[in-house]
Amino acid sequence: MRFARFKRGLCLKTVDSCFQDLKDSRLVEETFTVDEVIDMLDGLRTVVHSEVESELINTTYTNVLLLRQLFSQAEKWYLKLQTDVSELENRELLEQVAEFEKSEFTSSNKKPSADLIKPKLAPLNEGGSELLNKVRTCLFMWLRSMTILLIQLNWIAVQ
């Protein structure tokens, strides 16, 4: 959240500088013709459009890299993740995220609403892989015993 907030601030500063550059470089005369104003606004639109597009592309690529990292980690733990794309445009959820950002980054000590407080899982330490290995071993042993049992039952049925 902090990184996204920082990048958004940089993008807004860039847009502000586009307007300031226009003021400093083109607004030196007292009067302008309609064509001159249209030319200045078209130029400003082009520069702002380019800056915003570049930032949106960069944000998209950053999100893709973040998701790729998360999916890679999940894959290492043999987790299957599913997403509900319709939730990405859910106004209520987006407003909850905005409220979370406000409560997280404002200087006031306002507590987040109860809807935003979700139980958190304790992080897995190095013992997590040890536990996973034990579960795998138990599962392998169980499958082996079931295989032996099925072989014995098949042998008895043949006799």
Side-chain angles (χ1 to χ4, degrees):
M1 219 41 187
R2 284 188 181 114
F3 179 72
R5 188 176 176 91
F6 171 74
K7 293 296 282 181
R8 186 172 63 227
L10 285 178
C11 182
L12 291 174
K13 285 180 183 178
T14 303
V15 170
D16 288 343
S17 73
C18 292
F19 280 89
Q20 191 60 44
D21 288 347
L22 175 70
K23 287 180 192 176
D24 295 342
S25 65
R26 301 284 307 265
L27 297 180
V28 290
E29 299 176 24
E30 293 292 324
T31 58
F32 295 97
T33 65
V34 172
D35 290 337
E36 290 173 329
V37 171
I38 289 172
D39 183 46
M40 285 187 283
L41 291 176
D42 285 343
L44 180 62
R45 181 182 49 84
T46 302
V47 171
V48 170
H49 182 275
S50 173
E51 288 293 331
V52 170
E53 182 181 33
S54 172
E55 285 303 317
L56 288 172
I57 289 170
N58 189 16
T59 300
T60 301
Y61 292 170
T62 302
N63 287 333
V64 167
L65 291 175
L66 177 64
L67 288 171
R68 193 167 115 195
Q69 288 177 7
L70 291 173
F71 288 143
S72 293
Q73 289 176 16
E75 193 175 76
K76 286 179 185 176
W77 286 95
Y78 302 101
L79 300 175
K80 292 189 180 201
L81 302 179
Q82 296 178 348
T83 58
D84 183 1
V85 178
S86 67
E87 293 290 315
L88 297 176
E89 294 183 1
N90 184 329
R91 292 304 311 165
E92 185 178 317
L93 293 176
L94 292 171
E95 288 170 7
Q96 287 180 4
V97 172
E99 182 63 34
F100 172 75
E101 182 183 24
K102 284 180 196 171
S103 68
E104 197 66 25
F105 295 104
T106 55
S107 59
S108 68
N109 291 330
K110 181 181 160 188
K111 294 282 184 184
S113 67
D115 292 341
L116 295 175
I117 300 174
K118 302 282 185 197
K120 295 181 180 178
L121 295 174
L124 287 176
N125 53 17
E126 291 303 316
S129 60
E130 198 174 298
L131 177 63
L132 182 61
N133 286 335
K134 285 181 182 180
V135 169
R136 281 185 189 156
T137 303
C138 289
L139 183 59
F140 176 74
M141 296 299 282
W142 180 79
L143 285 172
R144 197 168 127 205
S145 7
M146 293 308 293
T147 304
I148 292 170
L149 179 64
L150 287 172
I151 289 171
Q152 289 174 348
L153 287 173
N154 191 27
W155 186 76
I156 291 172
V158 171
Q159 298 258 341

